[in-house]
Amino acid sequence: MKSHSICLAVLLALGAPVIAQAQDAAATAADAASGIDTMLKGNWRAPANVARDDARHPLETLTFFGLKPDQTVVEITPGGGWYSEILAPYLRERGQYVAAVVDPMAVAEGRGRDYQQRSKDGLEKKLAASPAQYDKVRVTAYSPSAPVFGAPGSADLVLTFRNVHNWRSAGQAEGMFKGFFDVLKSGGVLGVVEHRAKRDVPADDNSGYVGEAQVIALAEAAGFRLDGKSEVNANPRDTKDHPNGVWTLPPTNNHDAKDAAKYQAIGESDRMTLRFVKP
């Protein structure tokens, strides 16, 4: 009986560090989620952006990607700054938010360059207008043909939201994923949200959807390991056969006025949410 008690005591002692580590990890995750939730309630967020929280699930998405307030986070092509409104103030005190935008001068002169210039100018104007939230944001411009997002091994987390279809159609996807791999530290995370096709699609497909297996293959070819999938951004109502591709659906709503109720009932696209790790 005494021997049994000694063995039990040894097992409990060995288990204590593991239990403590699990408790610490849970507490850290809870604190991170609480901080994100606070940012979601910030009065600096545009009302139109807040209205899309139910479709984009930012709390669940960023928690799944493991966002923490002391990280260096690179968001690829943040567009109008939907996620910037959450990430920049969240990381302001202890971390670093990097907005990686296309360098307009790296794009051929014409409509493409004009679009990238307007996008860059619009984001920088937004950041400058609210220094209390955005004064520590670092904007870095990259060339789509040879993307560099920062010093090698300098980032903890790279995020991209609904961009992979554009890179595939432009023949830039492989280079982009290599750039993500290079900027991340060993153990760093790549988080990808993308419109999900029913199956693999050709590179020149113009629907805006991409096969989930195709995105995984791109990441793995760059050296990443798939670490998790989430269905938080799934939408089973999305039939993915719309006349103007994903842009038929909200928020773009590129459809005939008579079909408005139909597409509002579907909602935003079905999206994959994938977490990769750099070994």
Side-chain angles (χ1 to χ4, degrees):
M1 188 70 175
K2 183 177 180 181
S3 175
H4 175 76
S5 297
I6 292 172
C7 289
L8 180 60
V10 170
L11 288 172
L12 288 172
L14 289 173
V18 175
I19 293 172
Q21 289 175 3
Q23 290 173 334
D24 289 346
T28 299
D31 287 345
S34 176
I36 296 168
D37 189 54
T38 298
M39 297 302 109
L40 293 176
K41 297 171 182 174
N43 60 11
W44 58 85
R45 297 188 65 208
N49 290 344
V50 174
R52 295 186 66 197
D53 284 355
D54 287 346
R56 289 195 167 185
H57 312 101
L59 175 60
E60 298 85 352
T61 300
L62 294 174
T63 300
F64 175 71
F65 290 148
L67 176 68
K68 297 180 180 64
D70 59 350
Q71 292 177 323
T72 294
V73 178
V74 182
E75 184 186 2
I76 310 299
T77 58
W82 196 94
Y83 264 103
S84 304
E85 292 182 350
I86 304 165
L87 293 167
Y90 179 79
L91 297 163
R92 182 174 179 269
E93 295 302 324
R94 298 170 54 194
Q96 176 69 65
Y97 172 65
V98 181
V101 301
V102 173
D103 181 358
M105 294 301 104
V107 178
E109 189 173 1
R111 293 176 61 186
R113 178 184 292 182
D114 293 344
Y115 171 82
Q116 297 299 344
Q117 188 66 61
R118 288 195 305 273
S119 181
K120 183 173 181 289
D121 291 346
L123 180 65
E124 290 178 337
K125 181 179 179 180
K126 179 187 184 76
L127 300 178
S130 299
Q133 285 76 44
Y134 308 129
D135 62 339
K136 297 183 181 179
V137 172
R138 189 165 77 238
V139 177
T140 183
Y142 69 89
S143 169
S145 61
V148 175
F149 306 109
S154 62
D156 299 288
L157 178 61
V158 170
L159 298 173
T160 174
F161 300 97
R162 304 167 313 282
N163 291 309
V164 179
H165 58 282
N166 291 321
W167 302 327
R168 289 187 75 245
S169 63
Q172 299 165 350
E174 290 80 4
M176 293 296 291
F177 276 82
K178 180 182 182 300
F180 306 156
F181 190 87
D182 291 344
V183 77
L184 280 167
K185 300 173 181 177
S186 177
V189 169
L190 167 65
V192 179
V193 176
E194 176 58 295
H195 310 293
R196 178 166 48 192
K198 292 180 179 179
R199 59 189 67 86
D200 287 359
V201 297
D204 61 354
D205 177 80
N206 62 3
S207 70
Y209 293 93
V210 181
E212 185 170 299
Q214 293 176 298
V215 176
I216 294 172
L218 280 166
E220 290 181 340
F224 288 102
R225 172 177 59 84
L226 179 65
D227 188 56
K229 301 180 182 182
S230 172
E231 291 300 299
V232 66
N233 292 302
N235 181 0
R237 298 184 300 275
D238 182 6
T239 56
K240 310 174 187 186
D241 57 358
H242 317 300
N244 295 304
V246 72
W247 298 281
T248 311
L249 299 175
T252 306
N253 293 307
N254 185 11
H255 54 68
D256 292 339
K258 63 182 177 60
D259 294 325
K262 169 185 174 181
Y263 291 114
Q264 286 298 319
I266 293 173
E268 297 196 18
S269 67
D270 176 54
R271 295 163 186 164
M272 66 185 89
T273 305
L274 307 174
R275 184 179 65 232
F276 300 95
V277 171
K278 177 178 178 176

